[in-house]
Amino acid sequence: MSSAGIAASAGPFFAVAVGLLGVLLSPLAELLIARTLPRLGGLPGVRTRITTAALTGLLCGTLALRFGIEWSLPAFLLLAVLGVQLARIDLAHHLLPNPLVLTLLAAGLALLFLSSSVAAEWAELLRAAAGAAVLFVTFLILALISPNGIGMGDVKLAAPVGLYLGYLGWSQLFYGGALGFVLGGILSVVLIRLKRANLSSEVAFGPSMLAAALGTVLLAS
């Protein structure tokens, strides 16, 4: 059965179940982060936890509709769960913790490897690895050229983002990477208009990268 056929056969009940799983995984992830990274100040506030759980659940349910019952789905659910947490932390602390970024990269690679091995299709995995390298090097060059625009945390995050986008295709890698800069620029303008930032302020770029990646995953065919 094709991917579209599997996704269609999964139905809305599967998406709702996966969405509820995302709602449960969100507070679990926050608890693990609070225990392993105490320098972040412990658990976020109740309102933040509710927001992240709702967003994670929505993303997981939508990803279930997008991929259906496929071996690659767990990898992208990981992107949703950790992506929301990384965005939350970057917005609050202007920080992308290395342990979380490396977990997203290593665990994502392992899950995509499992998917490719089951389907005996290795082209996607090789393209994913190449995508991680390409986006990482691109961001590294940009950070060296303009260190005030892109931080090293963004450079490291580019590797797992490139991994997931590259797994889907070269066009997804290009558009997802470019969209991150577009969203980052829009966010900067909005914050300046709301007087929450000025031209010299540091605006968290990680959330824009992750939003662009997840948006590309969900919308690009």
Side-chain angles (χ1 to χ4, degrees):
M1 183 181 293
S2 65
S3 299
I6 295 175
S9 66
F13 293 107
F14 176 69
V16 170
V18 174
L20 290 175
L21 176 63
V23 172
L24 295 176
L25 289 175
S26 179
L28 177 60
E30 287 167 347
L31 180 61
L32 291 174
I33 291 169
R35 289 187 175 181
T36 57
L37 297 171
R39 62 193 176 109
L40 297 178
L43 289 170
V46 175
R47 182 177 299 179
T48 299
R49 279 181 279 167
I50 292 174
T51 301
T52 53
L55 181 57
T56 303
L58 177 63
L59 287 171
C60 288
T62 309
L63 286 168
L65 287 175
R66 162 72 169 84
F67 289 97
I69 306 174
E70 286 191 2
W71 283 97
S72 61
L73 177 61
F76 287 93
L77 295 181
L78 176 70
L79 174 62
V81 174
L82 288 187
V84 170
Q85 295 302 320
L86 282 165
R88 170 183 67 81
I89 293 170
D90 200 17
L91 285 171
H93 304 283
H94 290 277
L95 176 69
L96 292 166
N98 289 337
L100 292 185
V101 175
L102 291 176
T103 297
L104 181 58
L105 177 63
L109 181 60
L111 290 171
L112 291 176
F113 174 84
L114 176 63
S115 175
S116 295
S117 62
V118 170
E121 296 178 356
W122 300 102
E124 291 87 351
L125 186 65
L126 293 174
R127 191 174 59 234
V134 167
L135 207 61
F136 175 82
V137 171
T138 300
F139 270 69
L140 179 60
I141 293 173
L142 292 174
L144 293 175
I145 295 173
S146 178
N148 293 328
I150 296 178
M152 291 309 299
D154 303 322
V155 173
K156 288 175 280 191
L157 181 60
V161 168
L163 177 80
Y164 281 97
L165 293 176
Y167 183 82
L168 296 178
W170 291 113
S171 61
Q172 286 88 342
L173 178 67
F174 173 79
Y175 289 115
L179 182 59
F181 290 98
V182 174
L183 294 180
I186 293 174
L187 178 61
S188 298
V189 171
V190 170
L191 290 177
I192 291 172
R193 288 293 182 89
L194 293 175
K195 297 183 179 180
R196 295 183 180 179
N198 54 53
L199 293 177
S200 61
S201 298
E202 179 184 356
V203 177
F205 188 52
S208 299
M209 294 174 62
L210 292 161
L214 285 163
T216 302
V217 168
L218 290 171
L219 299 177
S221 59

